[in-house]
Amino acid sequence: MKTVPSIAFALATVSAVGLSAATPSGPARAQTPADIASAEAAFDFLQQLGIRYAVLAARTAIDLTYESVSIDPRNNAAVLNGVTLRPRLDWDPERQCEIRIERLATAGTPTLDLLQSTFEIAGASVPAVCLDPGTGAMLSSFGYPVLEVSRASIAIAYDMPSSGANLFVSADIADAAEVTVTSDFDYVYVTGILDEETGGEPIPVAKLSTAEVVLENAGLWERVSPMLGAQVGDLQQLPAMVGPMLGSMLAAPGQPIGAAEQALIDNLSTELARFLETGDRLVLSSQPEGGVWLSEDTFSTPQAAIAALQPMLSSAPLAVDQMVAADQLAAALAGGAGLDDASRLSVGEALITGIGAPRALTEGKALIAPLAEAWNGEAALLMGEAMADEGDAAGAYTMALRAQAGGAAGALGLTDTLEADLDAATVLAAQTAVHEGWPDLGAWQSLRAEAEQAGDVTAIRRMAFAAATGNGAPRSYAEAYYLASLAAAAGDTAAATLRDRLDNRFTVAGTRDADWVAVSNRAGSQALIAWTTGGIAERVRQAYGR
């Protein structure tokens, strides 16, 4: 039964490669209709080639046919319609297992920082004979000779910078249950590939932050409960019966049951009793404090697994805890009256990300705009991300510069990403506006004057790099060029490299951008005046004892 996800993975991977290959790299320039048509044609070809390869590869393991295939370059998606799978199963020599899928879709969203693939099916039917004999017989006895899956999806995302990943699996089984599985990992990698002792066998290593399984009853309990009641009698006694059974299983030989195991048993008994009354849902979650590195030792014994994973049964998914309180959301929609800055930021983040409240970019931006204008780094970063999602790259870049100056984590990546797609005039104008409006500009200018008065080349060079990267000051290539020119004139090689790199940043095919030429010439003239009539050259000589 692993073949279907394999097909999805192959198609999604190919679509990711196709998008990467069809997306031009290098300095941004305006695309002509011919460029767009050429990119779309290349993408379409790669997608078709990838689908053919994936289907042929899948047919080495399973009989697969389909009615039609389509490609949507706008969403980087490939869709197969009318899919039929006939797996070769040891317990099904007559080949009665035939899985039908009305629609199978895969999509990939590759960027330099994120690899993301999704796999969705709609209208699938899986006969019980396709499962192992024991499971198939049990499902048939419950009245499910065929599992009808109206919808199912798998989403995998891998963050390149942090090596974090998350997995989402969801399925809606008709007249039975809705099942959702989510897991978030702080770090994921594979080791052992180059290890001769392990024979090059890949060994996955992961640090789990949260995991959750949600089982929403949609008819399954009503079919199972009569049979279960016939075996145990009064179902209301089930929680009391489960406790001792689990206690004997979880207690170490010759030892009383531990506190963690007893807490889990009590939690299970309580939630099972609640479910018997409501028949709604059961939620098993793991949210170990500080995360946990998964290894063989984690699952060596039930006690070790419980201690590491800290599982808990409840009636509500973890996401419910992130929901914005009704009074705070009402205050946000009324303009934020009565909300302090921390509440504005948290509610605004929920509205912009769609986590904890319905996504509403207009309302979210309006709520945190005063904080962003006051140079709150986190608010400016949220504003920048929202503007980028809306297609306002220039406005987003301005906010990203503010966020960098405010020390917001992640602002540097957003700044660089946006800048790569903006022309020189927009970049330089935004940098000038942000630099001149910076609240700490006076302190920066005082530090610069001190360094120049002291002839401190090292301090001047450090300030040049700070201005160039936006680390410690708003990014300003004009300011960085001025300072780098001063330090380079004193023989500082790193500063000279920075100055030349800034020139190269705005050079395409041997031609330097006219807007940058004007800015760099002006900064160079200012540096020359400061170096000569300003006396910096003489002070450098004095500082170095010459």
Side-chain angles (χ1 to χ4, degrees):
M1 297 297 294
K2 297 180 180 179
T3 305
V4 176
S6 299
I7 299 171
F9 178 77
L11 291 176
T13 303
V14 169
S15 66
V17 173
L19 181 61
S20 300
T23 302
S25 60
R29 64 177 179 86
Q31 286 190 313
T32 66
D35 293 331
I36 297 173
S38 176
E40 289 181 350
F43 175 83
D44 187 67
F45 170 76
L46 288 172
Q47 283 279 38
Q48 291 184 38
L49 185 64
I51 291 172
R52 292 170 183 168
Y53 169 78
V55 169
L56 291 173
R59 283 175 175 163
T60 63
I62 190 172
D63 294 346
L64 181 154
T65 59
Y66 61 90
E67 296 174 359
S68 64
V69 61
S70 61
I71 298 172
D72 183 357
R74 295 166 299 179
N75 297 314
N76 192 30
V79 179
L80 296 176
N81 296 299
V83 179
T84 300
L85 303 174
R86 300 179 183 86
R88 304 176 182 90
L89 305 173
D90 294 339
W91 60 84
D92 183 29
E94 297 180 2
R95 305 291 295 276
Q96 295 180 348
C97 174
E98 184 175 278
I99 301 171
R100 295 184 178 274
I101 302 174
E102 292 180 8
R103 183 177 187 273
L104 185 157
T106 67
T109 309
T111 67
L112 288 176
D113 290 338
L114 179 67
L115 295 176
Q116 186 172 22
S117 294
T118 60
F119 164 63
E120 296 181 350
I121 66 174
S125 60
V126 183
V129 70
C130 295
L131 307 175
D132 67 83
T135 303
M138 181 180 65
L139 288 175
S140 296
S141 68
F142 291 154
Y144 298 107
V146 177
L147 290 179
E148 299 289 349
V149 182
S150 58
R151 173 203 55 82
S153 61
I154 300 173
I156 304 172
Y158 181 75
D159 183 70
M160 293 294 292
S162 67
S163 196
N166 57 64
L167 170 68
F168 172 82
V169 180
S170 177
D172 186 353
I173 305 172
D175 300 322
E178 294 182 15
V179 183
T180 302
V181 179
T182 58
S183 56
D184 295 314
F185 297 89
D186 292 330
Y187 200 89
V188 176
Y189 69 97
V190 177
T191 186
I193 297 177
L194 302 178
D195 192 341
E196 294 182 0
E197 295 183 3
T198 63
E201 180 180 354
I203 302 173
V205 181
K207 184 180 182 182
L208 178 72
S209 57
T210 61
E212 181 178 74
V213 179
V214 180
L215 178 64
E216 188 88 29
N217 177 45
L220 177 63
W221 176 243
E222 286 72 16
R223 300 196 186 193
V224 172
S225 56
M227 299 181 63
L228 187 61
Q231 295 180 4
V232 303
D234 185 4
L235 287 177
Q236 300 304 317
Q237 299 302 315
L238 190 59
M241 299 171 59
V242 168
M245 292 173 55
L246 281 178
S248 61
M249 294 172 57
L250 296 179
Q255 299 291 329
I257 191 168
E261 290 77 20
Q262 185 61 54
L264 178 61
I265 291 173
D266 293 342
N267 166 242
L268 177 60
S269 299
T270 300
E271 288 302 318
L272 187 56
R274 180 201 59 76
F275 178 78
L276 289 174
E277 292 183 4
T278 62
D280 52 4
R281 77 189 62 81
L282 288 171
V283 180
L284 178 63
S285 59
S286 171
Q287 199 172 22
E289 185 177 355
V292 59
W293 287 98
L294 302 181
S295 65
E296 292 183 2
D297 293 339
T298 306
F299 305 98
S300 59
T301 64
Q303 295 83 0
I306 292 172
L309 299 176
Q310 302 169 27
M312 182 181 72
L313 206 63
S314 66
S315 62
L318 294 171
V320 173
D321 296 334
Q322 301 180 39
M323 291 175 56
V324 177
D327 58 338
Q328 285 195 327
L329 198 54
L333 297 178
L339 294 179
D340 58 22
D341 287 353
S343 298
R344 274 183 176 268
L345 186 61
S346 62
V347 178
E349 181 176 7
L351 291 171
I352 288 174
T353 62
I355 300 175
R359 193 178 195 198
L361 295 182
T362 300
E363 290 78 3
K365 290 191 303 177
L367 189 62
I368 65 173
L371 301 180
E373 292 299 325
W375 294 81
N376 180 299
E378 293 183 25
L381 180 58
L382 283 170
M383 286 283 287
E385 291 172 338
M387 289 177 168
D389 286 343
E390 293 175 324
D392 181 7
Y397 183 66
T398 296
M399 284 298 163
L401 292 173
R402 283 176 170 263
Q404 257 196 284
L412 177 59
L414 180 62
T415 303
D416 286 343
T417 300
L418 291 167
E419 188 176 302
D421 293 326
L422 295 172
D423 57 57
T426 302
V427 168
L428 297 172
Q431 290 183 357
T432 299
V434 172
H435 183 75
E436 292 178 352
W438 184 34
D440 294 331
L441 179 59
W444 170 269
Q445 291 174 335
S446 295
L447 288 174
R448 190 181 77 177
E450 283 183 23
E452 292 176 351
Q453 287 295 322
D456 189 341
V457 176
T458 300
I460 293 173
R461 182 235 301 148
R462 287 174 179 169
M463 295 185 75
F465 275 93
T469 60
N471 183 17
R475 178 177 290 184
S476 172
Y477 291 150
E479 180 78 358
Y481 197 88
Y482 165 81
L483 292 166
S485 296
L486 289 177
D492 190 291
T493 303
T497 301
L498 173 59
R499 178 201 60 202
D500 296 340
R501 193 166 73 239
L502 289 171
D503 277 332
N504 292 334
R505 160 68 179 79
F506 294 99
T507 301
V508 178
T511 302
R512 195 161 296 169
D513 185 273
D515 291 288
W516 172 248
V517 169
V519 168
S520 60
N521 284 347
R522 184 163 55 251
S525 297
Q526 292 171 347
L528 179 60
I529 294 172
W531 182 259
T532 54
T533 59
I536 294 180
E538 184 58 32
R539 288 191 289 273
V540 169
R541 290 192 184 93
Q542 293 175 0
Y544 287 91
R546 294 291 181 93

